[in-house]
Amino acid sequence: MTITNGYKQNENEKELDILNLPALEQEAQKIIPTGGFGYIAGGSEDEWTLHANRTAFQHKQIVPKALSDIEDPQTDTRVFNLDLKTPIMMAPAAAQGLAHVKGEIDTAAGVAAAGGLMAQSTYSSTSIADTAEAGNGAPQFFQLYMSKDWNFNESLLDEAKKAGVKGIILTVDATVDGYREADIINHFQFPIPMANLTKFSEGDGKGKGIGEIYASAAQKIGPKDVARIIQYTDLPVIVKGIESAEDALYAIGAGAAGIYVSNHGGRQLNGGPASFDVLTDVASAVNHRVPIIFDSGVRRGSDVFKALAAGADLVAIGRPAIYGLALGGAQGVTSVFNHLNDELKIIMQLAGTKTIEDVKHAPLLDIKY
Amino acid sequence: MTITNGYKQNENEKELDILNLPALEQEAQKIIPTGGFGYIAGGSEDEWTLHANRTAFQHKQIVPKALSDIEDPQTDTRVFNLDLKTPIMMAPAAAQGLAHVKGEIDTAAGVAAAGGLMAQSTYSSTSIADTAEAGNGAPQFFQLYMSKDWNFNESLLDEAKKAGVKGIILTVDATVDGYREADIINHFQFPIPMANLTKFSEGDGKGKGIGEIYASAAQKIGPKDVARIIQYTDLPVIVKGIESAEDALYAIGAGAAGIYVSNHGGRQLNGGPASFDVLTDVASAVNHRVPIIFDSGVRRGSDVFKALAAGADLVAIGRPAIYGLALGGAQGVTSVFNHLNDELKIIMQLAGTKTIEDVKHAPLLDIKY
Amino acid sequence: MTITNGYKQNENEKELDILNLPALEQEAQKIIPTGGFGYIAGGSEDEWTLHANRTAFQHKQIVPKALSDIEDPQTDTRVFNLDLKTPIMMAPAAAQGLAHVKGEIDTAAGVAAAGGLMAQSTYSSTSIADTAEAGNGAPQFFQLYMSKDWNFNESLLDEAKKAGVKGIILTVDATVDGYREADIINHFQFPIPMANLTKFSEGDGKGKGIGEIYASAAQKIGPKDVARIIQYTDLPVIVKGIESAEDALYAIGAGAAGIYVSNHGGRQLNGGPASFDVLTDVASAVNHRVPIIFDSGVRRGSDVFKALAAGADLVAIGRPAIYGLALGGAQGVTSVFNHLNDELKIIMQLAGTKTIEDVKHAPLLDIKY
Amino acid sequence: MTITNGYKQNENEKELDILNLPALEQEAQKIIPTGGFGYIAGGSEDEWTLHANRTAFQHKQIVPKALSDIEDPQTDTRVFNLDLKTPIMMAPAAAQGLAHVKGEIDTAAGVAAAGGLMAQSTYSSTSIADTAEAGNGAPQFFQLYMSKDWNFNESLLDEAKKAGVKGIILTVDATVDGYREADIINHFQFPIPMANLTKFSEGDGKGKGIGEIYASAAQKIGPKDVARIIQYTDLPVIVKGIESAEDALYAIGAGAAGIYVSNHGGRQLNGGPASFDVLTDVASAVNHRVPIIFDSGVRRGSDVFKALAAGADLVAIGRPAIYGLALGGAQGVTSVFNHLNDELKIIMQLAGTKTIEDVKHAPLLDIKY
């Protein structure tokens, strides 16, 4: 165990024997310090939306296809011109040094080993270059929290491009931090530096509360920013934090190469809908113009299946992967991805769908209760 | 602590460190005597409507507006020709001396400091003049429980007008007291005099049960009473206790300058709908002819947002402010208002709405479960 | 306390201080022997329908009528050519000697004192004549469980007619006893004789299980039986146990002078709907051709109001009155009726309805959750 | 008690005093070893579908038919050209030696005594011939888990035909095993040999996990397999595991002589609908072309009634019968069937339906909550 600024960082590196992803949370809670765990696990206000993210999946059911004459379902897929072994990707998530001493470096390695797509967060504990290198050639996206300081933005984008990322995820649902009570109760301040912030005047994030970090972030984000980033990077820009058909079209109009349906895992706008509840409408409006990434509440193979069937092209997980990171480092992350992908394969076989394309065309049943 | 007729009145005067408004209730319960707390917190019958007032908010969700290019949302608003710093106002609530020795005087001062609108109740512990003076020039409304004795009504209205109130709230949903079991269990009688009753033959309310107080109140209230009060005061009269589109139009027909959608915090007609459940229909019928005030169950910034988006122009709170009063006097009330307004601002930013007008035009999503 | 065949019968005679009717159940449980209490309180199978009888009321809400200019609501009503002080009546309920040594004699006296309508059950602990006499001139109905032995039926009808009952309630939803697990668990057998059975070959019910009692009851009941009873008695015959519009019209076609919507308090067909859930449809089909009596799950003034607003002309209670009987004899029954009627009056005033006719025309709101 | 490979097999042979079927589970849990009980009782993933199988019944209610003039309802029925005393049949269920030393032999005897239809599973603890013989002339079906090895399939079908089974149930919803966490937690491996596997190269199932057993099962199952089995056996083939109208028609097109609506008791595709929730749609599409068998979640007489009214011709139970087997051997199974049939008869009488045909034509009410 490493102690950084008084915070105990785990150093586990091992394969995990996973029963299911929800069960990881309490295991992780035992080894992640209270403040860090509260930051990772918590949602905003009374966590209604956080909770709804899970229950929403219960209201659409998988209609199995009997006598479908298939075996050995395959989870590989091609999205954003990337060949991936699984439609499950890593959501961009801040400050993974809270879970493990190697932070995003281990996450990137673990995701790469599982054949998934990694997304780095602006607020990573490790640097863009280091995290990219850990990916060992596997594709990565870089997520941008836009700063008020455009020089800072450009510097990050330069570094990301130099590191070879395949796309930029622009987060637009966090222009101020959600009201997260766990952080307030724990008087939480980031004990671990955020690598991308250390070279800039904003400081390194260490010893700051989440509110202070956000203070230097841009609140005003509009279509012109999307256009500007596209122009600057010449990379596909995916707009993250879309929760309505209207906004999806607006973002595509602004040049978005992908739509990321998410409510930030229930950490931002509490009182907004569960992400899964709006996915069908968004997908219907997007109508295959660009790919759709989905996150918020995914814990089961059946959740991944339902999200794909409801219109997602990629399905991201955040907290469960971070718990895997805490418990087993890179190998733990791989274990989490492999477990979820295995659950998905079982569902695919039982539902009578051989490929991810088949899943995307599978019907769902609306359940009234 | 002051002991009045054997009842212990709090004397706290301090800023509060508030996590959220729901959490205030148990803090307040520790310091308000049982009978007083039961009177404040309780609802009628089996409290179904009281409970539904909270859960109703879960069935409409906020649709965030991404890429809205806004920052620094503003909560100031203009309603009833009044300029207010927040759309959150104080609901008229009786007998606040039960919570704090300074009663409505502190509430008025606290609300004024937060830039909100204060409403005095007929059954206030403090006099109209004293409460008005404590408001220090900030706008106030006066709420009238109509007595059977019209001289009494005129005397109160005279005093209110003299004190400079900006409007009269006529409560029409309390022509008899709801069946409040907490008061019966506690054998509750008002230990603190009601200042507005002391100079009249009805007595001062001290030592009376709620039933006896209501006994001198008018049960028969009709459109002609609205007209009569308008004529007598030449002030805007807002009819409080409207729960249907039909009644809203009936009240406007009778001359109402405002509609107050409320079920009295679940204290009167149990078995009636949650107020939030009828707000959209009422607002649709009112169609901006007059402003709408809403209360019943508001505890979160997201609740305030939803009420405004569903058609309210002002959103009132009662119990949470009284708990703030008990715990911190005038400063406690200010803390409660500021906290709720801060939560509202976060929601506004995250929802992509810069002004209260924007909020009023924000869509809500109907959730089926 | 009287001990009959080893069963302890209560002898309380006193006015009750009632908080609410649901709270009576546990008070009564303390003083009624286990077997008797299980028989009275229990439902059939897993008691889904018993439970649904209560929750159904939550799905229609009272729309208050503001500015209705009324006071002093009146609960008197005229139904079946009878002038009653309250629309609340006593449901026919068997074996009330289980609750109190004086059984239906005290119930009849208590109901009469409250100005309600009494219904005697075929399986009463006390005789038709004695129970009628206790009613002291107040109107009573007699409920018939049809026997396979038509002589027995005629004998009961003769006695009922001689005793001056104003109508016959023919129960058609109990052609076999529901599967009541409490009775099986308690090995319940009736310890108290059933007065109407003692003079007949069927025996007196003492020491029999409910199954044996029903064994001599007719299972085949059809329209011709309704006609035959009408012809024999020349009294209005109300068919009890109707749960659909179709059956209501069928019964009226057979000559029924009233429709009694009931699922026998959840004691018979478990898996059938809550009675309140079908009331509106039944009333719509009946369309005022004959009066409608409603029971099953009524515990609150708001329940009575909703049942009347949904189409009932009279609203019956069973278990709560029997608990009142156990706790206070005739005075206890009166206390229960008066309490419920008082709750109803409060609701009437708050809803803006002055008369029972007004209540019957009051709208209800369908709540989706 | 017999100990086989360290596993304690019950040897009870006695009539059971049954209160209700749900209550059997905890009784059985006391006497079945943990691994075996987990295998029998468990569902897949988080058991949402397992749970939904029960709650689904609450959303359709039985509409009783009053004045129907019937008595003495009869449960005999004719389906698949078989005369049965009850519409309740035994679902094919694997490895009943886990519950009782005599396994399917006792089940077959017990079902026969109750006049029901027995279905043998491919993975039975006892052989086809022995189980058939125990049925003592009563009709049986044989359920086939198709192997990748067609010789194995033909050998089983030969034996089944020789044993005189009246139909083949082809299970198509188990082409891979569901993700059953209880088995993983218990490190469950089959301690008891599976008789039908012992003579084949696949081994006997002893000491294998469920995953290994499935490994030799066919995953690819299509319409041609249905046709091939029909051609080979010249017996009616019922396709089991249908959950949609589309699949039912597809199976009938492939030659199916019956449709078996089931989600395998929530043991396979978690996240799929409750079986009862899709039954009406399937039955509507099938439109009496072939009979429908239904299982998944049946525990009460009212469940059987609802399933028949929703379109089933036969209603199967699995777990409750196995619990009866554990607790009382053949007599225990008979007790379970008789109890459930008795509950059904009560419901039939109370619903006003004299025959199973009447039940099939009974209306159900959709309940919104």
Side-chain angles (χ1 to χ4, degrees):
Chain A
M1 182 160 299
T2 302
I3 300 187
T4 307
N5 298 312
Y7 185 95
K8 296 182 185 174
Q9 291 181 290
N10 299 297
E11 299 184 329
N12 299 310
E13 295 287 350
K14 61 176 178 193
E15 212 173 315
L16 300 177
D17 187 17
I18 294 176
L19 180 64
N20 58 54
L21 270 51
L24 287 178
E25 186 162 288
Q26 51 187 342
E27 289 308 305
Q29 186 166 15
K30 293 176 193 160
I31 62 165
I32 303 177
T34 304
F37 182 78
Y39 173 74
I40 295 164
S44 50
E45 275 196 10
D46 59 9
E47 302 191 335
W48 185 89
T49 297
L50 175 74
H51 178 71
N53 278 341
R54 288 293 304 136
T55 53
F57 287 106
Q58 299 176 1
H59 294 272
K60 283 187 190 287
Q61 298 307 314
I62 301 167
V63 185
K65 200 172 192 57
L67 296 172
S68 60
D69 213 7
I70 64 120
E71 67 182 346
D72 197 14
Q74 300 297 319
T75 62
D76 58 289
T77 188
R78 183 174 172 81
V79 198
F80 295 112
N81 292 320
L82 303 171
D83 290 305
L84 302 163
K85 289 199 185 138
T86 172
I88 304 166
M89 67 172 279
M90 181 66 200
Q96 297 176 24
L98 294 172
H100 193 275
V101 69
K102 297 189 69 181
E104 290 78 2
I105 286 175
D106 261 18
T107 305
V111 172
L117 176 64
M118 169 73 185
Q120 295 192 30
S121 165
T122 291
Y123 296 154
S124 288
S125 303
T126 60
S127 74
I128 294 174
D130 290 350
T131 310
E133 192 185 337
N136 199 20
Q140 296 193 353
F141 282 178
F142 175 74
Q143 175 267 355
L144 180 68
Y145 278 120
M146 247 177 62
S147 169
K148 286 170 181 158
D149 177 358
W150 194 255
N151 289 330
F152 176 70
N153 297 330
E154 292 193 347
S155 154
L156 286 179
L157 293 171
D158 289 345
E159 197 178 338
K161 204 161 175 185
K162 187 170 158 198
V165 306
K166 305 299 185 190
I168 304 296
I169 296 172
L170 176 66
T171 300
V172 300
D173 65 357
T175 59
V176 70
D177 55 316
Y179 185 68
R180 300 184 200 158
E181 301 189 357
D183 291 345
I184 294 166
I185 292 168
N186 296 331
H187 304 286
F188 180 66
Q189 301 212 324
F190 290 108
I192 318 292
M194 293 173 170
N196 295 325
L197 308 192
T198 50
K199 349 179 183 163
F200 295 88
S201 53
E202 289 85 352
D204 59 6
K206 177 168 66 71
K208 290 190 177 178
I210 179 74
E212 292 167 272
I213 297 288
Y214 273 107
S216 62
Q219 293 198 314
K220 282 173 71 82
I221 304 180
K224 68 182 182 316
D225 299 299
V226 178
R228 188 166 175 181
I229 296 165
I230 295 168
Q231 194 169 22
Y232 187 78
T233 61
D234 205 24
L235 283 170
V237 171
I238 296 102
V239 178
K240 175 168 184 278
I242 298 295
E243 292 273 283
S244 72
E246 186 186 43
D247 282 3
L249 294 177
Y250 194 59
I252 294 171
I259 293 298
Y260 196 136
V261 175
S262 170
N263 58 27
H264 219 111
R267 298 162 72 81
Q268 290 292 111
L269 175 61
N270 192 52
S275 284
F276 187 65
D277 274 338
V278 299
L279 178 56
T280 305
D281 271 4
V282 172
S284 179
V286 169
N287 196 17
H288 306 286
R289 285 181 183 91
V290 298
I292 294 174
I293 305 176
F294 171 83
D295 76 19
S296 296
V298 175
R299 296 292 181 272
R300 288 282 180 180
S302 55
D303 301 339
V304 178
F305 186 104
K306 289 175 183 180
L308 294 168
D313 294 281
L314 289 174
V315 178
I317 54 171
R319 293 181 184 94
I322 297 174
Y323 298 143
L325 174 67
L327 293 161
Q331 294 180 65
V333 171
T334 305
S335 294
V336 167
F337 270 73
N338 287 347
H339 178 88
L340 189 58
N341 207 56
D342 286 349
E343 279 192 14
L344 173 61
K345 276 189 201 166
I346 293 171
I347 300 287
M348 287 176 71
Q349 175 66 35
L350 294 176
T353 47
K354 184 167 176 60
T355 66
I356 297 301
E357 266 318 293
D358 290 348
V359 177
K360 289 187 192 172
H361 289 86
L364 295 172
L365 188 67
D366 282 311
I367 293 289
K368 60 188 171 300
Y369 53 84
Chain B
M1 182 161 297
T2 302
I3 301 188
T4 307
N5 298 312
Y7 184 95
K8 295 181 185 173
Q9 291 180 290
N10 299 298
E11 298 185 329
N12 299 311
E13 294 288 348
K14 62 176 177 192
E15 213 173 315
L16 300 177
D17 188 17
I18 294 177
L19 180 64
N20 58 54
L21 270 50
L24 287 178
E25 187 162 286
Q26 51 187 340
E27 290 308 306
Q29 187 167 14
K30 294 175 192 160
I31 62 165
I32 303 177
T34 302
F37 182 79
Y39 173 75
I40 295 164
S44 50
E45 274 195 11
D46 59 10
E47 302 192 335
W48 184 89
T49 296
L50 175 74
H51 178 72
N53 278 341
R54 288 293 304 135
T55 54
F57 287 105
Q58 299 177 0
H59 294 272
K60 284 187 189 286
Q61 298 307 314
I62 301 167
V63 185
K65 199 174 194 57
L67 297 171
S68 61
D69 214 8
I70 65 118
E71 66 183 347
D72 197 13
Q74 301 296 319
T75 62
D76 58 288
T77 189
R78 183 172 172 81
V79 197
F80 296 112
N81 292 319
L82 304 170
D83 289 306
L84 302 163
K85 288 196 185 141
T86 174
I88 304 166
M89 68 171 279
M90 180 67 199
Q96 296 176 24
L98 295 172
H100 194 276
V101 69
K102 296 189 69 182
E104 290 78 1
I105 286 175
D106 260 19
T107 305
V111 172
L117 176 64
M118 169 74 185
Q120 295 192 30
S121 165
T122 291
Y123 297 153
S124 288
S125 303
T126 60
S127 74
I128 295 174
D130 290 351
T131 310
E133 192 186 336
N136 199 21
Q140 296 194 353
F141 282 177
F142 175 73
Q143 174 269 355
L144 180 68
Y145 278 120
M146 246 178 62
S147 169
K148 286 170 180 159
D149 176 357
W150 194 256
N151 289 330
F152 176 70
N153 297 332
E154 292 193 347
S155 153
L156 287 179
L157 294 172
D158 289 344
E159 197 178 338
K161 204 160 174 186
K162 188 172 158 198
V165 305
K166 304 300 185 189
I168 303 295
I169 296 172
L170 175 66
T171 299
V172 300
D173 66 357
T175 59
V176 69
D177 54 317
Y179 186 67
R180 300 183 200 159
E181 300 190 358
D183 291 346
I184 294 166
I185 292 168
N186 296 331
H187 304 287
F188 180 66
Q189 302 212 322
F190 290 108
I192 317 293
M194 293 173 171
N196 295 325
L197 309 192
T198 49
K199 350 178 182 162
F200 294 88
S201 52
E202 288 85 352
D204 59 7
K206 176 169 64 71
K208 290 190 177 178
I210 180 76
E212 293 167 272
I213 298 288
Y214 273 108
S216 63
Q219 294 197 315
K220 281 172 72 81
I221 304 181
K224 69 182 180 315
D225 299 298
V226 178
R228 187 166 174 180
I229 296 165
I230 295 168
Q231 194 169 24
Y232 188 78
T233 61
D234 205 24
L235 283 170
V237 170
I238 296 103
V239 178
K240 176 168 183 279
I242 298 295
E243 292 274 283
S244 72
E246 186 185 44
D247 282 2
L249 294 176
Y250 193 59
I252 294 172
I259 293 298
Y260 196 136
V261 175
S262 169
N263 59 26
H264 218 111
R267 300 162 71 81
Q268 291 292 111
L269 176 61
N270 192 52
S275 283
F276 186 65
D277 274 338
V278 300
L279 178 55
T280 305
D281 271 4
V282 172
S284 178
V286 169
N287 196 16
H288 306 286
R289 284 180 183 92
V290 299
I292 293 175
I293 305 176
F294 170 84
D295 76 21
S296 297
V298 175
R299 297 292 181 273
R300 287 281 181 180
S302 54
D303 301 338
V304 178
F305 187 105
K306 289 176 183 179
L308 293 168
D313 294 281
L314 289 174
V315 179
I317 55 171
R319 293 180 184 95
I322 296 174
Y323 299 143
L325 174 67
L327 293 161
Q331 293 180 64
V333 171
T334 305
S335 295
V336 167
F337 270 73
N338 286 347
H339 178 88
L340 188 58
N341 206 56
D342 286 348
E343 280 193 14
L344 172 61
K345 276 188 200 167
I346 292 171
I347 300 288
M348 286 176 71
Q349 176 66 35
L350 294 176
T353 47
K354 187 168 174 57
T355 65
I356 297 300
E357 266 319 292
D358 290 348
V359 177
K360 290 186 192 173
H361 289 85
L364 295 173
L365 188 67
D366 282 311
I367 294 289
K368 61 189 170 300
Y369 52 86
Chain C
M1 182 162 298
T2 302
I3 301 188
T4 307
N5 299 312
Y7 185 96
K8 295 182 187 174
Q9 290 181 290
N10 298 298
E11 299 185 329
N12 299 312
E13 294 288 348
K14 63 177 176 192
E15 213 173 315
L16 300 177
D17 189 16
I18 294 176
L19 179 64
N20 58 54
L21 270 51
L24 287 178
E25 187 163 286
Q26 51 187 340
E27 290 308 305
Q29 187 167 13
K30 293 176 194 162
I31 62 165
I32 303 177
T34 302
F37 182 78
Y39 173 74
I40 294 164
S44 50
E45 274 195 13
D46 59 9
E47 303 191 335
W48 184 89
T49 296
L50 175 74
H51 179 70
N53 278 341
R54 288 294 304 135
T55 54
F57 287 106
Q58 298 176 1
H59 293 272
K60 284 188 187 288
Q61 297 307 314
I62 301 167
V63 185
K65 199 173 194 57
L67 296 171
S68 60
D69 213 7
I70 64 118
E71 67 183 346
D72 196 13
Q74 300 296 319
T75 61
D76 58 289
T77 188
R78 183 172 172 81
V79 197
F80 295 112
N81 292 319
L82 303 170
D83 289 307
L84 302 162
K85 288 197 185 142
T86 173
I88 304 166
M89 67 173 278
M90 180 67 199
Q96 297 176 25
L98 295 172
H100 194 277
V101 69
K102 296 189 69 183
E104 290 79 0
I105 286 175
D106 261 19
T107 305
V111 172
L117 176 63
M118 169 72 186
Q120 295 192 29
S121 165
T122 290
Y123 297 154
S124 289
S125 303
T126 59
S127 73
I128 295 174
D130 290 351
T131 311
E133 192 185 336
N136 199 20
Q140 296 193 353
F141 281 177
F142 175 72
Q143 175 268 356
L144 180 68
Y145 278 120
M146 246 179 63
S147 170
K148 287 170 180 158
D149 177 356
W150 194 254
N151 289 330
F152 175 70
N153 297 332
E154 292 193 347
S155 153
L156 287 179
L157 294 171
D158 289 346
E159 197 177 338
K161 203 160 175 187
K162 188 170 157 199
V165 305
K166 305 300 185 189
I168 303 295
I169 296 172
L170 175 66
T171 299
V172 298
D173 66 357
T175 59
V176 69
D177 55 317
Y179 186 67
R180 300 184 200 158
E181 301 189 357
D183 291 346
I184 293 166
I185 293 168
N186 296 331
H187 303 287
F188 179 67
Q189 301 212 324
F190 289 108
I192 317 293
M194 293 173 170
N196 295 325
L197 308 192
T198 48
K199 353 181 180 158
F200 295 89
S201 52
E202 289 84 353
D204 60 6
K206 177 169 65 70
K208 291 190 179 179
I210 180 75
E212 294 168 271
I213 298 288
Y214 273 108
S216 62
Q219 292 196 318
K220 282 173 72 81
I221 304 181
K224 68 182 181 314
D225 299 299
V226 178
R228 187 166 174 181
I229 296 165
I230 295 168
Q231 194 169 22
Y232 188 79
T233 60
D234 206 24
L235 283 171
V237 170
I238 296 102
V239 178
K240 175 168 183 279
I242 297 296
E243 292 273 283
S244 72
E246 187 185 43
D247 283 2
L249 294 176
Y250 194 59
I252 295 172
I259 294 298
Y260 196 136
V261 175
S262 169
N263 58 27
H264 218 111
R267 300 162 71 82
Q268 290 292 111
L269 176 61
N270 191 52
S275 285
F276 186 65
D277 274 339
V278 299
L279 178 55
T280 305
D281 272 4
V282 171
S284 179
V286 168
N287 196 16
H288 306 287
R289 285 179 182 93
V290 299
I292 293 175
I293 304 176
F294 171 83
D295 77 19
S296 296
V298 175
R299 297 292 181 273
R300 287 284 181 179
S302 54
D303 301 338
V304 177
F305 187 103
K306 289 176 183 180
L308 294 168
D313 295 281
L314 290 174
V315 178
I317 55 171
R319 293 181 184 94
I322 296 175
Y323 299 143
L325 174 66
L327 294 160
Q331 292 179 65
V333 172
T334 304
S335 295
V336 167
F337 269 72
N338 286 347
H339 179 87
L340 189 58
N341 206 56
D342 285 349
E343 280 193 15
L344 172 61
K345 276 188 200 168
I346 293 171
I347 299 287
M348 287 176 70
Q349 175 67 34
L350 294 176
T353 47
K354 186 168 175 58
T355 66
I356 297 300
E357 267 317 293
D358 290 347
V359 177
K360 289 187 193 173
H361 290 85
L364 295 173
L365 189 67
D366 282 311
I367 294 289
K368 61 188 168 302
Y369 54 85
Chain D
M1 182 161 298
T2 302
I3 301 188
T4 306
N5 298 313
Y7 185 95
K8 295 182 187 173
Q9 291 181 290
N10 299 297
E11 300 184 329
N12 299 311
E13 295 287 349
K14 62 176 177 193
E15 211 172 316
L16 300 176
D17 187 17
I18 295 176
L19 180 64
N20 58 54
L21 270 50
L24 287 178
E25 186 163 288
Q26 51 187 342
E27 290 307 306
Q29 187 166 14
K30 292 176 193 161
I31 63 164
I32 303 177
T34 303
F37 182 79
Y39 173 74
I40 295 164
S44 50
E45 274 196 12
D46 60 8
E47 303 192 334
W48 184 89
T49 297
L50 175 74
H51 179 70
N53 278 341
R54 287 293 304 134
T55 53
F57 287 106
Q58 299 176 2
H59 293 272
K60 283 188 189 287
Q61 297 308 313
I62 301 167
V63 185
K65 201 174 193 56
L67 296 173
S68 60
D69 213 6
I70 64 118
E71 66 182 346
D72 197 13
Q74 300 297 319
T75 62
D76 58 289
T77 188
R78 183 172 172 81
V79 197
F80 294 113
N81 293 319
L82 302 171
D83 289 306
L84 302 163
K85 287 197 186 141
T86 172
I88 305 166
M89 68 172 279
M90 181 66 200
Q96 296 176 24
L98 295 172
H100 193 276
V101 70
K102 296 189 70 182
E104 290 79 359
I105 286 174
D106 260 19
T107 306
V111 172
L117 176 63
M118 169 73 186
Q120 294 192 29
S121 165
T122 289
Y123 296 154
S124 288
S125 303
T126 60
S127 72
I128 294 174
D130 289 351
T131 311
E133 192 185 336
N136 199 21
Q140 297 194 352
F141 281 178
F142 175 73
Q143 175 267 357
L144 180 68
Y145 277 121
M146 247 178 62
S147 170
K148 286 169 181 158
D149 177 356
W150 193 256
N151 289 330
F152 176 70
N153 296 333
E154 292 193 347
S155 153
L156 286 180
L157 294 171
D158 289 344
E159 197 177 339
K161 205 161 173 184
K162 187 170 158 199
V165 306
K166 306 298 186 190
I168 304 296
I169 296 172
L170 176 66
T171 299
V172 300
D173 66 356
T175 59
V176 69
D177 55 316
Y179 186 67
R180 299 185 200 157
E181 300 190 358
D183 291 345
I184 294 166
I185 292 168
N186 296 331
H187 304 286
F188 180 67
Q189 302 212 323
F190 290 107
I192 317 292
M194 292 173 170
N196 295 325
L197 308 192
T198 49
K199 351 180 182 158
F200 295 88
S201 52
E202 287 86 353
D204 60 5
K206 177 168 66 71
K208 289 190 178 177
I210 180 76
E212 294 167 272
I213 298 289
Y214 273 108
S216 62
Q219 292 196 316
K220 281 173 71 81
I221 304 180
K224 69 182 180 317
D225 298 300
V226 178
R228 187 166 175 181
I229 296 165
I230 294 168
Q231 194 168 21
Y232 187 79
T233 60
D234 205 25
L235 282 171
V237 170
I238 295 103
V239 178
K240 175 167 183 280
I242 298 296
E243 292 274 283
S244 72
E246 187 185 41
D247 283 1
L249 294 177
Y250 194 58
I252 294 172
I259 293 298
Y260 196 136
V261 175
S262 170
N263 57 27
H264 219 111
R267 298 163 72 83
Q268 291 293 110
L269 175 61
N270 191 52
S275 284
F276 186 64
D277 274 339
V278 299
L279 177 56
T280 305
D281 272 3
V282 172
S284 179
V286 170
N287 196 17
H288 306 287
R289 285 180 183 90
V290 298
I292 293 174
I293 304 176
F294 171 83
D295 76 19
S296 296
V298 175
R299 296 292 181 274
R300 287 283 181 178
S302 54
D303 301 338
V304 178
F305 187 104
K306 289 176 183 180
L308 294 168
D313 294 281
L314 289 174
V315 178
I317 55 172
R319 293 180 184 95
I322 297 175
Y323 299 143
L325 174 67
L327 293 160
Q331 293 179 64
V333 172
T334 305
S335 295
V336 167
F337 270 73
N338 286 347
H339 179 87
L340 189 57
N341 206 57
D342 286 349
E343 280 193 15
L344 173 61
K345 276 188 201 167
I346 293 171
I347 300 287
M348 286 176 70
Q349 175 67 34
L350 294 176
T353 47
K354 184 166 176 59
T355 66
I356 297 300
E357 266 319 293
D358 289 349
V359 176
K360 289 187 193 173
H361 290 85
L364 295 173
L365 189 67
D366 282 311
I367 293 291
K368 61 188 170 301
Y369 53 84

